[in-house]
Amino acid sequence: MASFSIDQTESRAFYQSLTKQLHEELDELEPTLIQTRRTLHQKPEISGEEKETSQLICNTLREIGLEPRLMNNDVGVVADMTLGTPTEDAPLIAIRADIDALRITDLKEVDYCSHNPGVGHLCGHDAHTSIALGVALAAGRVKELFQSEWPGQGLRLRFIFQPAEEICMGARWMVEQGALEGVSAIIGLHMDPEIQAGTANIRYGVMTAFCDEVHFEIHGRGGHAARPHHGNDPITTAAQLISSLYQNLPRSIDSRMPAVFTIGQISSGLAPNVIPEIAELKGSLRSTNDQAREVLHDRIQNIASGVAQSTNTRIEVLFKSPLPAVVNDKTISAALEQASIDVLGLEQVGLIDLPSMGGEDFSIYLQHVPGSMLRLGCARPDQKTVFLHSPYFDIDERVLKIGSRILLQAALLLSLNPQLIQKGN
């Protein structure tokens, strides 16, 4: 465990007093958070179309006196909140929640099942949104403590409700629209159905993989299926290319460096008795190291070139939608770890040993400001594990108040010791 210190006795007393009050306030707010989450779960919206979700967020924030800013195309929300009288060097701490849903049918048999056919909150973004709203609601309730009991203390927060995480575009949109202007640090969390509700896991350093879409367009020569010698079959080439990539890429880099390449989409031809002109493949490359990523890019090009030469076809390779890895800042991770311990207890907080091969566009924010993301356990103790992106995914709703407490207390820790933020790497 990395400790996050609060140097001044007065600051420690303030933190302890405030966290006790937050526990009480979020206990009272829990039914509201659950209802908010279920409302969002019933009305999921896909990436880039989260207009009703954004409006619900705005309405909730206005009710507590904030002035939320609706972003371009009415999707995404940013709102600032100041508690007490922050010092001149008080950091602005951003709390990020993603708000979009997936194109997956929700098959759960619950009252709050998705009412939008073919779309479902099956990655926990409804919970992330509700947790961030819980931070705002709870913070609004403890404003008086800053003024009456601790007049020298203050906290500056920015709430970033981001669209389109699932297509890895939303964070870029928010940054382009100034969501990070003046921000000192950013924190967030993600549901983790592999650990029980009431637990949290922290990762120092690289948390998720670099992600690249890889597109292949194979140009052959069409012809009759009964006379393959008259044509040049791009489907045969596609099969050879996939086999070569799967066989050779893992042996191209140090086996101790996690990396994975997968072809997930194949399209070619319009009739069973026709050799088509073109075959298209689309895949995903995941890596956790810059050097390994560069080697794999070069190797993919070389393998495609070799297969093209041996089959007398032309293969075009295109790398698209590059997404950096989430690299958690050491100091901010320590604040999240300390806040998690304060909320859950030491035994309920663990460290993540290895990075995930998944992608998360939280990484885009980390190109501009230091930050960190934690994994919050959401599995129900009485049910079999159902993973993210499953049509049956659900959460133990106790995590809502837990997540709100952890994020708000982590923001408070960072605010009480702002000089440490610049030291985190």
Side-chain angles (χ1 to χ4, degrees):
M1 170 190 166
S3 61
F4 192 95
S5 61
I6 305 176
D7 296 331
Q8 301 173 358
T9 302
E10 182 178 331
S11 294
R12 284 198 299 271
F14 168 65
Y15 175 75
Q16 292 168 356
S17 173
L18 188 59
T19 54
K20 180 181 179 181
Q21 184 67 26
L22 286 173
H23 176 70
E24 296 173 1
E25 297 295 346
L26 279 161
D27 275 349
E28 291 185 13
L29 284 167
E30 185 175 26
T32 299
L33 300 186
I34 290 174
Q35 183 56 53
T36 299
R37 183 256 167 173
R38 292 186 177 189
T39 297
L40 292 168
H41 202 84
Q42 288 177 323
K43 301 178 180 180
E45 296 174 296
I46 61 171
S47 301
E49 298 183 12
E50 308 94 327
K51 293 186 177 182
E52 286 190 33
T53 302
S54 298
Q55 197 58 59
L56 182 151
I57 293 165
C58 284
N59 292 341
T60 303
L61 296 176
R62 290 191 186 106
E63 287 175 1
I64 59 172
L66 301 188
E67 298 179 357
R69 176 163 63 103
L70 201 58
M71 310 306 277
N72 289 353
N73 301 317
D74 297 332
V75 294
V77 179
V78 170
D80 288 348
M81 174 182 252
T82 300
L83 305 180
T85 53
T87 59
E88 290 185 3
D89 67 342
L92 177 59
I93 309 299
I95 293 174
R96 177 268 202 169
D98 37 13
I99 67 175
D100 56 329
L102 289 156
R103 289 188 181 274
I104 302 176
T105 298
D106 188 354
L107 298 180
K108 295 189 300 296
E109 295 181 0
V110 293
D111 293 340
Y112 50 87
C113 187
S114 171
H115 292 179
N116 188 355
V119 181
H121 268 300
L122 302 167
C123 195
H125 295 187
D126 54 337
H128 304 165
T129 301
S130 302
I131 286 169
L133 288 172
V135 173
L137 294 172
R141 288 190 172 201
V142 297
K143 271 188 176 183
E144 292 183 2
L145 273 179
F146 285 85
Q147 302 296 343
S148 60
E149 298 185 30
W150 304 96
Q153 302 288 354
L155 177 62
R156 299 171 63 219
L157 296 173
R158 173 167 295 167
F159 299 95
I160 299 176
F161 295 91
Q162 175 211 306
E165 189 279 329
E166 295 292 353
I167 60 171
C168 301
M169 294 299 296
R172 289 183 172 90
W173 297 345
M174 299 301 274
V175 171
E176 289 167 359
Q177 295 174 70
L180 289 184
E181 289 180 6
V183 168
S184 307
I186 187 167
I187 55 177
L189 52 73
H190 203 294
M191 295 293 101
D192 190 342
E194 297 188 50
I195 55 176
Q196 296 293 317
T199 62
N201 282 344
I202 310 295
R203 170 72 182 171
Y204 287 83
V206 177
M207 184 176 186
T208 68
F210 294 88
C211 299
D212 295 281
E213 279 188 30
V214 190
H215 294 198
F216 302 89
E217 190 169 270
I218 303 169
H219 297 261
R221 187 170 68 253
H224 198 292
R227 302 175 181 85
H229 56 288
H230 290 168
N232 193 353
D233 192 345
I235 294 178
T236 302
T237 301
Q240 184 175 333
L241 176 61
I242 293 171
S243 179
S244 297
L245 290 167
Y246 279 13
Q247 181 178 1
N248 290 290
L249 287 181
R251 308 180 76 86
S252 300
I253 59 170
D254 191 324
S255 59
R256 295 168 296 180
M257 294 181 181
V260 62
F261 176 78
T262 301
I263 293 292
Q265 188 174 354
I266 303 174
S267 58
S268 185
L270 297 173
N273 62 341
V274 177
I275 295 172
E277 287 277 328
I278 295 175
E280 294 180 331
L281 309 178
K282 294 182 181 179
S284 173
L285 174 67
R286 313 291 177 112
S287 53
T288 58
N289 176 281
D290 269 326
Q291 182 180 0
R293 181 170 176 256
E294 291 179 9
V295 169
L296 290 168
H297 276 218
D298 289 342
R299 194 78 177 107
I300 287 170
Q301 293 277 15
N302 291 339
I303 291 170
S305 177
V307 171
Q309 185 174 3
S310 67
T311 58
N312 197 29
T313 59
R314 179 166 59 89
I315 302 178
E316 298 176 3
V317 182
L318 181 63
F319 296 93
K320 295 187 65 176
S321 304
L323 184 67
V326 170
V327 183
N328 285 337
D329 177 270
K330 179 180 178 181
T331 295
I332 299 169
S333 296
L336 281 171
E337 184 179 2
Q338 185 61 59
S340 299
I341 292 169
D342 293 342
V343 172
L344 299 171
L346 179 61
E347 298 301 318
Q348 301 303 108
V349 180
L351 297 179
I352 300 172
D353 294 330
L354 296 171
S356 164
M357 298 311 290
E360 199 357 302
D361 78 351
F362 186 77
S363 62
I364 299 299
Y365 300 114
L366 303 185
Q367 305 296 299
H368 303 273
V369 297
S372 183
M373 171 178 280
L374 68 83
R375 295 280 185 179
L376 188 61
C378 67
R380 296 179 178 180
D382 58 340
Q383 292 188 358
K384 182 180 178 181
T385 300
V386 178
F387 297 105
L388 299 172
H389 292 211
S390 162
Y392 299 98
F393 173 75
D394 205 352
I395 65 167
D396 184 328
E397 291 175 318
R398 291 178 298 166
V399 303
L400 301 177
K401 68 176 181 180
I402 292 171
S404 296
R405 282 190 67 194
I406 290 173
L407 290 183
L408 186 46
Q409 290 180 207
L412 185 60
L413 285 169
L414 292 167
S415 185
L416 290 172
N417 227 339
Q419 70 275 12
L420 293 180
I421 294 176
Q422 279 68 40
K423 296 179 183 179
N425 292 305

